[in-house]
Amino acid sequence: MAIIDFLKKQFIDIIEWTDDSRDTLSYRFPDDDKEIKNGAQLIVRESQLAQFVYVGEFGDQFGPGKHTLSTDNIPILTNLRSWKYALQSPFKADVYYVVTRVFTGNKWGTANPVMMRDADFGIVRLRAYGTYDFRIVDARKFLKEVAGTDHHFRLDEFADTMRSRLVSVFSDALAEAKIPALDVASRYGELGEALLPLINPVIGAKYGLEMTSFIVENVSVPPEVEQAIDKRSSMAAVGNLNDYVKFQMAQGMEKGGTGGAGGMAAEMAVGMAMAQQMMNQQGGLMAQTTPGVAAPATAAAAAGGAELFTPAQVAQRLGVTEADVVATLESGDLKGKKIGTQWRVTRAAVDAFLAS
């Protein structure tokens, strides 16, 4: 009896594993250097898969259920061992349990900025982070490329191993999707859905994984790109630059009573424009009633041309920024002459703009 008990202890007759950790991806059944008995029972529970490995080569694979191990249901292992006849003796093989359920709420992020070519801003650097859900769909590829021979491979090891690989796949998928930076920063939900069909074929072929969801929670761009986006939004909100300049002038007049410099400048500009109009009207009357007397504008032109202003001088007179004046010149609302790269504006053009 002692010999029989001793022999029984040398063989494995039941192979099973109960996962109570909730963070295990693969687990190698501990054989304690024992052999598997002919006719041994293999128990595989739901969300599990059992993979046999013999001398470094993948053997048979079993899904959920109770299996009796014999040459009838382990043909790959039978072929690897070159058994010519029915399995009569115990054998040694590693048995890996692989968990096939969905692992949710895993975090991903770009440790370094991702370079992306954008149609609006050229080359931009993006940082992104979010969460993803995944499951193992090819146990052999997963064991070979990710878990290796680790006897208990957990989620924390997976995160460390896969973080850089997933970010690389994300970067390639983002470049292939050609999504503008403006859309990347505002359409997170659609971005995740758009990237899934690009990411899954790659991680499936390389690592035996499938992402069931890929969520982008945030995408950030460099400060200079944020400023460009803000400027574009501001220009869209302004609309007609002519109306915008007049609005700023009105605001400046409103603040002029409290000592605001912009309001005082705008008030002075309007006053000068009104005075100029009155002078023009008076000059016209004098020209009509007194022969030989020219209107002031005509006299000024005859004396050597109309008075010219730079955009900076016009901006100072109107109480606006020089950029607003240049934009108004380029739109044609304010008439001016561009000589090389410099604009020149006559007093009459400024008066006509204020009167329009």
Side-chain angles (χ1 to χ4, degrees), residues 15 24 31 41 84 95 106 111 125 143 148 175 185 214 220 246 250 281 290 315 323 339:
I15 302 173
T24 299
D31 57 11
Q41 300 298 306
K84 298 180 180 179
V95 181
N106 304 280
R125 293 174 287 112
L143 290 172
F214 186 79
S220 60
K246 291 180 179 179
Q281 291 175 359
T290 308
I339 304 173

Side-chain angles (χ1 to χ4, degrees), residues 311-332:
Q313 292 172 325
V314 175
Q316 185 177 4
R317 288 175 177 273
L318 298 183
V320 297
T321 66
E322 184 178 352
D324 290 333
V325 173
V326 173
T328 309
L329 285 166
E330 291 177 346
S331 67

Side-chain angles (χ1 to χ4, degrees), residues 42-295:
L42 172 67
I43 300 174
V44 183
R45 290 176 170 78
E46 291 295 334
S47 300
Q48 291 181 352
L49 185 148
Q51 175 66 57
F52 278 73
V53 179
Y54 175 73
V55 194
E57 294 186 71
F58 288 115
D60 301 276
Q61 194 175 95
F62 296 86
K66 185 176 181 180
H67 311 275
T68 300
L69 301 180
S70 66
T71 52
D72 294 333
N73 61 5
I74 51 173
I76 299 177
L77 186 58
T78 300
N79 182 63
L80 289 175
R81 287 205 56 169
S82 300
W83 284 317
K84 298 180 180 179
Y85 307 101
L87 173 62
Q88 298 295 332
S89 61
F91 62 94
K92 282 189 66 66
D94 293 325
V95 181
Y96 286 87
Y97 279 91
V98 178
V99 180
T100 58
R101 69 175 179 86
V102 176
F103 292 85
T104 61
N106 304 280
K107 298 184 180 298
W108 66 272
T110 56
N112 298 307
V114 175
M115 303 296 290
M116 189 184 81
R117 188 180 300 276
D118 184 73
D120 297 316
F121 304 111
I123 301 295
V124 296
R125 293 174 287 112
L126 298 179
R127 290 183 181 272
Y129 65 83
T131 60
Y132 65 95
D133 304 336
F134 77 97
R135 62 186 172 195
I136 301 169
V137 293
D138 189 332
R140 296 179 180 180
K141 193 158 292 181
F142 174 78
L143 290 172
K144 179 181 179 182
E145 301 295 339
V146 183
T149 59
D150 195 320
H151 75 283
H152 195 172
F153 191 72
R154 296 175 179 270
L155 265 176
D156 55 352
E157 299 175 80
F158 173 83
D160 294 338
T161 303
M162 295 299 295
R163 182 177 291 112
S164 60
R165 302 182 190 181
L166 290 178
V167 170
S168 175
V169 173
F170 165 76
S171 305
D172 294 341
L174 186 62
E176 186 177 345
K178 297 181 180 178
I179 301 175
L182 290 173
D183 293 340
V184 168
S186 61
R187 296 163 60 183
Y188 296 148
E190 296 178 25
L191 176 61
E193 293 294 329
L195 292 180
L196 264 182
L198 301 175
I199 293 175
N200 271 331
V202 178
I203 65 173
K206 287 186 176 181
Y207 312 117
L209 303 174
E210 177 188 54
M211 284 190 182
T212 56
S213 71
F214 186 79
I215 300 172
V216 180
E217 295 181 357
N218 181 70
V219 175
S220 60
V221 295
E224 57 270 19
V225 178
E226 289 184 353
Q227 293 174 6
I229 294 174
D230 291 341
K231 286 183 180 179
R232 176 170 294 190
S233 301
S234 300
M235 290 177 65
V238 166
N240 189 304
L241 288 174
N242 187 8
D243 295 340
Y244 175 65
V245 171
K246 291 180 179 179
F247 171 76
Q248 281 197 324
M249 289 173 55
Q251 291 291 98
M253 291 177 64
E254 182 179 343
K255 297 177 181 177
T258 61
M264 294 177 62
E267 189 173 356
M268 290 174 60
V270 173
M272 291 176 62
M274 294 175 62
Q276 182 68 28
Q277 287 181 349
M278 293 174 63
M279 291 175 61
N280 290 341
Q281 291 175 359
Q282 292 176 357
L285 290 173
M286 292 176 62
Q288 292 176 6
T289 57
T290 308
V293 177

